[in-house]
Amino acid sequence: MKKLQHCFIAPTAYLHLIPQNSKVHLLLAHLMEDRAYCDFYKRRKEEGDYIIVDNGAFEFKRPLDADEIFRLVGGAGFQPDVIVAPDYPFEPWSKTVTETDSFARRYHNYFDASVKLMAVPQSKPGDWHGWIECYEHLTKIPHVNWIGMSILGIPNAFQSATGTKDISFNRTFATQYLKNNGIIESRIKHHYLGCGDPREILMMKAQGVADTNDSSTAFWHAINGIGYDDSVGGLRDGKSPIEVDFNLPYNETHVPLIKENVEWINGLIK
């Protein structure tokens, strides 16, 4: 079974609680003007950790402009291992292909050849055939070594096939469809962006496509006083609708539950 690695996402004041044995990290490009944020990950990079930088499409439902990504990431003081090309949730799949291709032609003007590219398939709502077209086109673009399995894009596309908008069910379904039909590109690594519910990680492991996954769930639910439970998804009341506040001040009282949640997630990925 493929080894799955989890990227813990935390508000800046809580970054020091990310376990030292967590060696892969997903950074958010729009936070890279924060010196404390960049300095933390610069140290982790110097220690040999693997750094992926996302493009803001989840937070803003539209990616940052390519020039803004180049400016923010270029000013961080270190080069990432992977950078996520612009993707366009809820828009025709061809737009994401066109913009990814354009980004791929430009990004080595700003970063050296060691920096890999992640592309993220998207489509219009319900267009799961288009999402697959997008996947297949993206894997053929030069320098694309990673595919991002979007927490937005897959439920958006596959809801017409599954009859539900549930994140975990749709990503599990989409992954199995790709496997069953021989569509998975073997040379490509796959990163699952975010979590529908914590136990979706078990399905990622079982299906064997995911190389990495990221989520704020361990930290953010703990900060909101929520620990994991024995329900099917691990959160009896579901994923918190409260958006992560990355500028939240540090509060020592949150630490015990954060550590419990982190260990719970680590237990899933072992």
Side-chain angles (χ1 to χ4, degrees), residues 167-177 200 203 207:
I167 294 165
S168 300
F169 187 87
N170 276 291
R171 286 208 295 197
T172 300
F173 178 93
T175 300
Q176 198 61 43
Y177 185 93
E200 184 188 5
M203 292 307 302
Q207 290 181 302

Side-chain angles (χ1 to χ4, degrees), residues 74-104:
F78 60 93
Q79 292 208 76
D81 295 281
V82 181
I83 190 164
V84 182
D87 61 288
Y88 291 83
F90 319 120
E91 298 196 41
W93 64 266
S94 57
K95 181 167 185 177
T96 289
V97 171
T98 298
E99 295 300 322
T100 299
D101 185 65
S102 174
F103 192 87

Side-chain angles (χ1 to χ4, degrees), residues 111-124:
F111 309 106
D112 67 37
S114 67
V115 180
K116 309 302 183 186
L117 193 62
M118 183 185 295
V120 183
Q122 299 287 357
S123 71
K124 293 179 72 173

